[in-house]
Amino acid sequence: MKMLKIKDIEIGEGIPKVIIPLMGTTDQELLEELEVIKDLKPDIIEWRADAYSKVEDLAAIQNLLETLSTQLLNIPLIFTFRTYKEGGMKEIAGDYYSKLLKTVIQTKKADLVDVELFTGETNVKEVVTLAEENGVYIIISNHDFQQTPAKDEIIRRLETMKLLGGHISKIAVTPKNVQDILTLLEATNTVKNNDRDHPLITMSMGPLGLFTRLSGELFGSACTFGAGRMASAPGQIPADELRIILNIFHKYLEKGTDDFRS
């Protein structure tokens, strides 16, 4: 299996990489939060810019990206503006969303940029093309806060993300019962087995979906989100607790594999 290597982080098989979100609303809050998060030793940091009070000021975004990239050193940075319809904290016009992502890509200060699948095929393709020209990786994402779609629909969305040029396909869904959890896990496993060279991030949100945030190594989700100072989505647990559980899973999964081989 090929792994996606970004700085010193290899995204692929093994323990899912822990992503911790930055959720501050001001420059000072973000920089203070960053110091707390760095102590938690994240694999990747995500700046959720929809929480930032000056997100509609492109110069402020560029300046803060410069500061963040200087302080992060070898920790990869994801830039995300989560749209309001997919659980974000601020509503902006579609043309500004596209302009924002393109501006961030052109700074080359974010290692990965998240673009939402349902912002439109044309927009996604333009963002992907610009990212390729600037050496930036793309996560194409979808967040469904209403339901868990059918297995075939989850598979279709994840595969469409890859076809549109995303380096990582991400989907987060809302479970209403245990069957919804199984649907998400079965879809993840199917897509991973169909193409083991393309990383996925999948999860069911909320307390009911907690297991999906922990079991990626078994079912095929390459990264998982843990809360630092503040969670960015329902169901995230503190990053330090998440890391302990992931390491336990990894230890006994490896042991089980060794026992099977013997």
Side-chain angles (χ1 to χ4, degrees), residues 52-97:
Y52 182 47
S53 61
K54 294 188 287 186
V55 70
E56 293 181 271
D57 180 343
L58 291 176
I61 291 285
Q62 291 170 304
N63 290 337
L64 191 50
L65 277 171
E66 177 73 36
T67 301
L68 292 175
S69 66
T70 300
Q71 296 197 23
L72 286 174
L73 300 176
N74 286 329
I75 304 173
L77 176 66
I78 303 171
F79 179 89
T80 297
F81 182 95
R82 183 65 59 236
T83 64
Y84 191 72
K85 66 182 179 180
E86 293 207 10
M89 301 176 69
K90 184 178 180 64
E91 193 164 10
I92 59 173
D95 58 347
Y96 183 74
Y97 173 80

Side-chain angles (χ1 to χ4, degrees), residues 12 16 21 45 47-48 79 81 123 154 158 171 179-180 216 221-222 226 230:
I45 288 177
W47 179 19
R48 276 287 301 272
F79 179 89
F81 182 95
N123 176 62
I154 294 174
L158 289 170
I171 192 165
Q179 183 56 54
D180 284 346
S221 182
M230 180 178 174

Side-chain angles (χ1 to χ4, degrees), residues 96-252:
Y96 183 74
Y97 173 80
S98 178
K99 185 176 182 180
L100 173 63
L101 298 191
K102 291 175 181 177
T103 298
V104 170
I105 288 168
Q106 289 173 317
T107 69
K108 302 182 183 181
K109 298 301 180 182
D111 302 286
L112 304 102
V113 170
D114 180 298
V115 59
E116 293 176 5
L117 176 65
F118 290 141
T119 55
E121 184 174 322
T122 298
N123 176 62
V124 172
K125 285 183 175 179
E126 288 178 355
V127 169
V128 168
T129 298
L130 187 63
E132 290 175 348
E133 293 170 357
N134 286 273
V136 175
Y137 294 94
I138 289 292
I139 300 170
I140 302 181
S141 67
N142 171 233
H143 304 77
D144 194 326
F145 279 81
Q146 303 302 315
Q147 63 175 342
T148 296
K151 175 183 173 182
D152 288 349
E153 174 61 14
I154 294 174
I155 292 171
R156 185 192 71 79
R157 292 182 193 180
L158 289 170
E159 291 181 341
T160 298
M161 294 169 187
K162 181 190 174 186
L163 290 173
L164 289 173
H167 299 95
I168 299 173
S169 299
K170 178 191 176 191
I171 192 165
V173 298
T174 301
K176 297 180 180 178
N177 50 51
V178 173
Q179 183 56 54
D180 284 346
I181 303 294
L182 296 175
T183 296
L184 184 279
L185 293 174
E186 288 174 359
T188 303
N189 188 56
T190 297
V191 175
K192 174 54 64 178
N193 286 336
N194 287 344
D195 185 355
R196 297 190 60 81
D197 290 341
H198 183 74
L200 307 173
I201 303 174
T202 70
M203 69 207 70
S204 290
M205 295 182 284
L208 190 59
L210 176 60
F211 180 74
T212 67
R213 295 181 180 275
L214 309 175
S215 58
E217 186 170 358
L218 183 60
F219 290 96
S221 182
C223 299
T224 188
F225 289 77
R229 179 174 283 183
M230 180 178 174
S232 62
Q236 286 179 8
I237 64 172
D240 51 354
E241 296 179 12
L242 175 62
R243 180 85 69 182
I244 291 169
I245 298 169
L246 293 175
N247 286 334
I248 292 171
F249 261 88
H250 180 71
K251 175 181 176 180
Y252 287 98

